[in-house]
Amino acid sequence: MDRRIYGGGSAVTSLVLFLLFFFSSSSASALSKNTNPSSGSGQINSNSVLVALLDSRYTELSELVEKALLLQTLEEAVGRHNITIFAPRNEALERDLDPEFKRFLLEPGNLKSLQTLLMFHIIPTRVGSDQWPSEESGRVKHVTLANDHLHLIKGDGKKTVDSAEIIRPDDLTRPDGLIHGIERLLIPRSVQEDFNRRRSLRSISAVLPEGAPEVDPRTNRLKKKPAPVPAGSPPALPIQSAMAPGPSLAPAPAPGPGGKHHHFDGEAQVKDFIHTLLHYGGYNEMADILVNLTSLATEMGRLVSEGYVLTVLAPNDEAMAKLTTDQLSEPGAPEQIVYYHIIPEYQTEESMYNSVRRFGKVRFDTLRFPHKVAAKEADGSVKFGDGERSAYLFDPDIYTDGRISVQGVDGVLFPEVEETVESVKKSVKKVVQPRRGKLLEVACRMLGALGKDTSYLSKCR
């Protein structure tokens, strides 16, 4: 039986034509993508600027690119952009570069720094020598592949990129980019900071040495380690032991609540209180002695870092001006004067005034051992010392941070001179007759009783 469908021929024909057009357009687009030389498929045309770089006179730069494993990254960049490469001459990388810095770049752990350095020489924009900014327009900033900035400058008839002169403009030109030869290597700030940090060993954490374990002779067992020192606790040794001369190896910083490592930063605190003295006014001489004439600022910072607290009785400039040349000419005289003005306690105006009000006369220890400074209440304030060598608390609480306290006084203090009066004892000489022997005495008595010659008696007297 013959079956026919009437009226459906035109619809089938339209469907067939639509499918043919869809597949043909898809094939054409795929073909165009595959034949595009600047596609990001990872296949670079032989006429690419990247191939020209690898085969150029810039062999040192090419070797660094290969060692930095940047070929694939640059292929993708060339596929997306028309790039400009600033290539340093070989001499800039061979002889002119610091050997220590080159060794730093080639270390496996510094691969990121090497990649950043090389990508800093490439900008994702085509800038030929004819497109360089003029002297009137000033410098033009461009973003590099390292997400940093380069500045193109023209002045005195020279084209420069940052501080490097263009010695071979448009040295190699390709459809997808060009290469300018420059006189020296460009170093971004981030790489320079990494190198400085590595060179100064700031990124290397030091391990404190530990002594050999001790054995208890009574039990033949290892002694228990001492309990860890809680943060903020006072140091175990007296401050006299901390100031004693010893090896140059710095001790470990004391535990404390301040700082990112929970240690006391004595150097920063001493620097802060010296700046406060200078801004306060009238105490420039004291600050000059601490910083320039002596090394007391460094020593105070070390003591505070080890957990000690200090109170400084700072004489003002008028008091320091009264010092004579004889008082300062002796070796170590400035240090001894300042030592006598530093109390190894944390005292404020309130605490010192309460002490002298309650106990009358108080004697504070100083860093000038074994001398002490006396304090008492006078005229509603605190008076240090006695007689002409006394000083009043003049500017209280100039600086107080919980570790260092600075109290201004109106005089320079000196320790009391102990006058030893030698009493001359008169020695009375007592003449003692020699004692005669018992046998001689008995013989004399016998001779006397018998009435013998008197010459014998004279010997017995």
Side-chain angles (χ1 to χ4, degrees):
M1 189 174 181
D2 189 12
R3 295 184 179 179
R4 294 182 180 179
I5 301 176
Y6 296 95
S10 60
V12 173
T13 304
S14 300
L15 179 61
V16 172
L17 292 176
F18 174 75
L19 292 175
L20 289 175
F21 175 76
F22 176 77
F23 285 115
S24 62
S25 61
S26 300
S27 302
S29 62
L31 182 61
S32 63
K33 288 183 179 180
N34 290 333
T35 57
N36 188 9
S38 58
S39 65
S41 61
Q43 296 180 356
I44 297 299
N45 194 296
S46 60
N47 200 27
S48 172
V49 66
L50 185 57
V51 177
L53 173 65
L54 297 179
D55 295 337
S56 65
R57 63 170 59 92
Y58 306 105
T59 56
E60 292 291 326
L61 181 63
S62 303
E63 291 180 4
L64 289 180
V65 170
E66 294 178 357
K67 292 178 180 178
L69 307 179
L70 282 178
L71 290 177
Q72 184 176 358
T73 303
L74 295 181
E75 287 175 1
E76 295 175 358
V78 169
R80 292 192 300 265
H81 310 284
N82 203 303
I83 66 174
T84 300
I85 301 176
F86 300 99
R89 57 193 178 94
N90 288 336
E91 291 79 4
L93 296 175
E94 283 182 341
R95 294 192 297 267
D96 300 343
L97 192 62
D98 183 9
E100 188 177 355
F101 181 67
K102 188 172 183 179
R103 194 180 310 113
F104 163 79
L105 293 175
L106 297 180
E107 290 180 0
N110 302 323
L111 180 62
K112 184 69 175 178
S113 298
L114 178 59
Q115 293 176 344
T116 303
L117 176 76
L118 296 176
M119 295 177 70
F120 186 69
H121 291 72
I122 305 174
I123 59 176
T125 308
R126 185 184 185 94
V127 180
S129 58
D130 55 343
Q131 298 172 321
W132 216 264
S134 61
E135 297 184 11
E136 293 78 12
S137 61
R139 62 180 187 176
V140 178
K141 182 170 64 174
H142 287 272
V143 180
T144 67
L145 294 184
N147 292 327
D148 211 328
H149 296 89
L150 283 178
H151 298 87
L152 306 184
I153 311 168
K154 184 176 182 181
D156 299 332
K158 297 180 180 179
K159 299 182 179 67
T160 58
V161 49
D162 277 357
S163 58
E165 182 184 354
I166 304 295
I167 56 177
R168 291 181 177 272
D170 301 332
D171 191 14
L172 296 172
T173 58
R174 296 294 185 269
D176 55 357
L178 55 88
I179 298 176
H180 297 295
I182 59 177
E183 62 172 346
R184 68 180 190 85
L185 186 69
L186 301 174
I187 302 176
R189 182 183 297 272
S190 59
V191 176
Q192 185 67 47
E193 291 176 353
D194 291 342
F195 172 64
N196 293 337
R197 189 160 47 245
R198 181 65 178 271
R199 183 169 55 180
S200 61
L201 302 180
R202 293 177 183 172
S203 61
I204 300 177
S205 59
V207 179
L208 293 176
E210 295 183 0
E214 298 181 4
V215 179
D216 191 346
R218 296 172 300 176
T219 59
N220 291 328
R221 294 182 180 179
L222 293 177
K223 291 184 178 181
K224 294 183 179 179
K225 292 184 179 181
V229 181
S233 60
L237 296 176
I239 196 169
Q240 293 89 339
S241 302
M243 292 183 62
S248 59
L249 182 64
K260 60 181 181 179
H261 298 295
H262 302 287
H263 290 152
F264 293 123
D265 190 356
E267 182 180 352
Q269 290 178 274
V270 170
K271 187 182 298 182
D272 191 19
F273 103 74
I274 291 177
H275 282 309
T276 304
L277 276 181
L278 296 175
H279 290 302
Y280 193 88
Y283 294 91
N284 296 332
E285 296 294 333
M286 184 67 176
D288 186 55
I289 290 179
L290 291 175
V291 177
N292 298 325
L293 298 183
T294 65
S295 60
L296 293 177
T298 304
E299 186 172 1
M300 292 174 63
R302 181 178 60 83
L303 292 174
V304 175
S305 296
E306 294 177 23
Y308 298 96
V309 293
L310 303 173
T311 298
V312 181
L313 304 178
N316 55 22
D317 290 344
E318 295 181 3
M320 298 293 288
K322 297 178 182 178
L323 291 174
T324 62
T325 306
D326 296 337
Q327 292 172 330
L328 296 173
S329 60
E330 297 182 3
E335 289 87 348
Q336 295 301 322
I337 292 175
V338 176
Y339 278 149
Y340 190 64
H341 290 74
I342 301 178
I343 301 173
E345 304 175 17
Y346 185 78
Q347 297 285 345
T348 62
E349 178 201 15
E350 182 180 1
S351 63
M352 286 191 293
Y353 187 72
N354 291 338
S355 298
V356 297
R357 280 288 304 272
R358 181 177 180 183
F359 302 106
K361 192 172 185 179
V362 181
R363 298 175 66 85
F364 294 103
D365 291 329
T366 65
L367 294 189
R368 186 173 178 178
F369 309 115
H371 299 287
K372 298 185 178 183
V373 59
K376 62 182 179 180
E377 182 189 7
D379 302 330
S381 181
V382 181
K383 181 181 179 182
F384 300 96
D386 294 313
E388 296 180 355
R389 297 185 173 184
S390 62
Y392 282 89
L393 183 59
F394 189 70
D395 290 320
D397 296 341
I398 297 177
Y399 180 85
T400 52
D401 66 350
R403 310 298 304 175
I404 301 176
S405 172
V406 181
Q407 308 293 327
V409 294
D410 61 353
V412 180
L413 301 172
F414 290 92
E416 299 177 0
V417 179
E418 298 180 357
E419 297 181 356
T420 58
V421 180
E422 297 181 357
S423 60
V424 180
K425 297 182 180 180
K426 296 181 180 180
S427 58
V428 181
K429 295 183 179 180
K430 186 178 181 181
V431 179
V432 181
Q433 295 181 355
R435 185 181 178 184
R436 295 170 297 190
K438 288 185 177 182
L439 293 176
L440 184 57
E441 292 179 0
V442 173
C444 289
R445 289 194 194 107
M446 292 176 63
L447 290 175
L450 296 175
K452 296 292 183 180
D453 191 2
T454 57
S455 61
Y456 293 98
L457 296 174
S458 61
K459 293 181 181 179
C460 296
R461 291 172 185 164

